[in-house]
Amino acid sequence: MLTSADIDLSLIAKKLLEKNLQFSFLVPTETALKKSIIDAHDSFRAFLKQQDIHDYKDQQKGTKHKKIVSASILSNGEIAESKISLYRPETKDGDPRLWVYGLSKYASPNNVIAVIYHKNNLFVLNCSEYNNFEKHLNSGLFDTDDHKTISPIANELLAKLRNISSKGFIKTITPGDTGIGMTLESLLEIQANSSREPDYKGIELKSKRTRSRGNRAREQLFSKVPIWKSSPISKAVELIKLRGYIDKDGSEALRHTISADKPNSLGLYLEVDQENDILKQMHYDSETEKSTYDVCWKLSELKQALLKKHKETFWVYARGRGKGANEEFHYIEVTHTQKPAIEKFDILLETGLLTVDYTMHIKENGQVRDHGYLFKIKPEAFSILFPAPILYSLES
């Protein structure tokens, strides 16, 4: 349903999430508007359930069991009172349906309609009418406050990083991509180990080279292996052989970014099934126009991995110069985050702002070599997942 949207969903989602809003999207078709019937897709049903508004699973079929909830349609700077009907018809297995009273006057086919829950009220906003969308979003109706404090441990770590920065460029202790993090940990006298616990007294450290401002790459959040025993494809080697390609070294490989907003060049995409607590990696065959389910993760386990990894994090950036064993780093900046907004995880996945990278190939001995199943956040969505990040310069 959402794939027919006439405006970039990730753009709209980013602006709504920056306001710390709870919402779900509807994209009504021409038929839906004519018949005053919209299918209540999985994400919308989960949204209603999460806000304790309605649970379709508990609803019986038929019009006499229809539930009516109050809502307000936002249009041209005005608020029009409306209602939303939630029901399951006697026909078609009682597939969940809804209708926003009067929606046809405010929407055209394939418009993106956001249903927003804010301060115990439902609001309906046409996001495809962009000027209208921005006017209401910035009217003050949805403003919230979000303040963070810095702990003594964070202050202690910040002071140490500023001392390290004052030394200027420091030679890496090992060549390659891992050098920047290992060098910093060595300077902080953190012992190298394989533990997944936070690096510095409960604070996670993530280090990377700087890029030009406004051109930072996706941030890696964590790695999580699919649940092979619950997936149609039960091994990494099978996934590579079925969906992979031959790389420049002649190896069978699968290195690709996968998102939910559209299939990538290999036909791979993500599908969020909130109702069953599953994130699926799917494959779309353009010739048959059919999709196949490959592997899955539990959404709840992904969220727990994020909470455990990034309860509090220092994202440290450094300038680099030189190459290989002679590379040097000057640590210059920190972004400090606390308590990721876990309730936004699903919508970030759905709109393509949070992605998964496959990083694997088959070695000559037939074994799979991988660098993890990497969950990454796009730079424009970083402050959405981590509200009110604090930026520190280490050079001052």
Side-chain angles (χ1 to χ4, degrees):
M1 176 185 282
L2 299 183
T3 56
S4 62
D6 62 3
I7 193 169
D8 185 352
L9 278 176
S10 64
L11 169 67
I12 300 301
K14 176 180 179 292
K15 288 185 173 293
L16 291 167
L17 289 166
E18 284 174 343
K19 290 289 187 179
N20 202 29
L21 296 173
Q22 305 298 320
F23 64 93
S24 185
F25 289 131
L26 298 172
V27 182
T29 63
E30 182 176 2
T31 301
L33 291 174
K34 285 181 177 178
K35 293 187 175 181
S36 301
I37 297 172
I38 300 176
D39 291 331
H41 58 82
D42 171 70
S43 295
F44 188 78
R45 299 197 300 271
F47 162 73
L48 293 179
K49 184 177 179 180
Q50 288 166 1
Q51 313 310 324
D52 291 326
I53 296 170
H54 183 61
D55 189 346
Y56 279 99
K57 284 187 175 181
D58 296 335
Q59 187 174 33
Q60 298 182 48
K61 299 179 186 179
T63 55
K64 69 177 182 179
H65 300 293
K66 181 184 294 186
K67 181 174 181 177
I68 306 294
V69 296
S70 297
S72 299
I73 297 178
L74 306 178
S75 179
N76 297 320
E78 298 181 355
I79 301 177
E81 295 306 312
S82 182
K83 296 178 181 179
I84 301 177
S85 63
L86 310 166
Y87 62 98
R88 298 178 62 215
E90 297 281 2
T91 57
K92 294 188 177 181
D93 299 322
D95 293 339
R97 304 282 178 78
L98 73 121
W99 179 245
V100 181
Y101 291 16
L103 182 63
S104 299
K105 295 188 294 184
Y106 300 96
S108 299
N110 302 322
N111 280 177
V112 173
I113 309 300
V115 180
I116 303 166
Y117 185 72
H118 182 65
K119 295 182 178 178
N120 299 317
N121 294 300
L122 284 173
F123 298 91
V124 179
L125 178 58
N126 189 335
C127 306
S128 295
E129 295 179 355
Y130 197 72
N131 289 338
N132 176 64
F133 167 69
E134 284 204 313
K135 180 187 293 184
H136 285 282
L137 199 62
N138 299 321
S139 66
L141 178 64
F142 300 117
D143 287 353
T144 57
D145 295 321
D146 193 358
H147 301 286
K148 297 273 178 75
T149 57
I150 183 167
S151 67
I153 297 299
N155 266 320
E156 174 185 298
L157 177 56
L158 185 60
K160 290 188 175 185
L161 290 171
R162 283 183 168 143
N163 181 54
I164 290 170
S165 180
S166 70
K167 298 176 182 178
F169 281 93
I170 298 168
K171 188 177 180 180
T172 184
I173 64 172
T174 184
D177 290 339
T178 59
I180 186 169
M182 292 181 68
T183 301
L184 181 60
E185 290 180 4
S186 175
L187 292 166
L188 289 169
E189 299 182 341
I190 298 172
Q191 296 296 318
N193 60 68
S194 58
S195 171
R196 297 197 177 192
E197 296 302 312
D199 301 302
Y200 187 89
K201 300 181 181 181
I203 298 176
E204 179 72 11
L205 279 168
K206 299 286 286 186
S207 306
K208 66 188 303 183
R209 298 165 182 81
T210 59
R211 294 180 175 228
S212 60
R213 285 214 175 266
N215 188 34
R216 282 186 172 163
R218 293 171 300 147
E219 293 284 3
Q220 182 176 319
L221 299 173
F222 59 89
S223 177
K224 190 74 171 176
V225 177
I227 307 174
W228 297 115
K229 64 181 180 180
S230 301
S231 301
I233 295 177
S234 59
K235 296 179 181 178
V237 66
E238 294 175 7
L239 183 61
I240 298 171
K241 287 184 174 293
L242 186 63
R243 306 300 184 203
Y245 54 87
I246 303 300
D247 68 11
K248 62 181 181 180
D249 298 320
S251 299
E252 292 179 273
L254 186 53
R255 303 183 186 95
H256 244 272
T257 296
I258 310 166
S259 65
D261 54 345
K262 60 183 177 181
N264 64 19
S265 61
L266 297 178
L268 307 181
Y269 67 97
L270 301 174
E271 184 177 287
V272 179
D273 182 353
Q274 290 179 314
E275 193 165 7
N276 293 301
D277 190 36
I278 293 174
L279 174 66
K280 299 177 181 178
Q281 180 260 290
M282 308 289 291
H283 175 262
Y284 176 73
D285 189 320
S286 58
E287 293 185 4
T288 64
E289 297 185 347
K290 292 183 179 179
S291 292
T292 306
Y293 166 28
D294 288 344
V295 301
C296 71
W297 297 261
K298 284 189 72 66
L299 285 166
S300 56
E301 291 179 358
L302 295 176
K303 293 171 188 176
Q304 285 303 310
L306 174 64
L307 286 171
K308 183 176 181 180
K309 187 76 171 176
H310 294 294
K311 181 179 180 182
E312 184 172 11
T313 303
F314 269 35
W315 309 79
V316 184
Y317 301 94
R319 296 190 187 104
R321 69 182 184 189
K323 293 182 179 181
N326 293 317
E327 187 171 13
E328 296 177 312
F329 303 111
H330 182 198
Y331 300 92
I332 61 169
E333 188 177 275
V334 171
T335 298
H336 179 201
T337 62
Q338 301 176 67
K339 298 178 182 177
I342 205 67
E343 71 279 1
K344 298 175 181 177
F345 189 83
D346 294 351
I347 194 68
L348 288 171
L349 279 169
E350 285 183 323
T351 53
L353 292 167
L354 202 161
T355 61
V356 178
D357 280 11
Y358 284 160
T359 60
M360 52 190 167
H361 69 276
I362 299 175
K363 299 187 292 185
E364 290 184 2
N365 63 5
Q367 298 296 310
V368 172
R369 169 68 169 139
D370 75 69
H371 297 279
Y373 300 80
L374 310 179
F375 285 77
K376 297 186 177 185
I377 186 82
K378 290 185 177 180
E380 62 267 31
F382 185 83
S383 61
I384 294 169
L385 186 61
F386 298 101
I390 307 171
L391 180 66
Y392 304 106
S393 172
L394 299 180
E395 296 180 287
S396 57

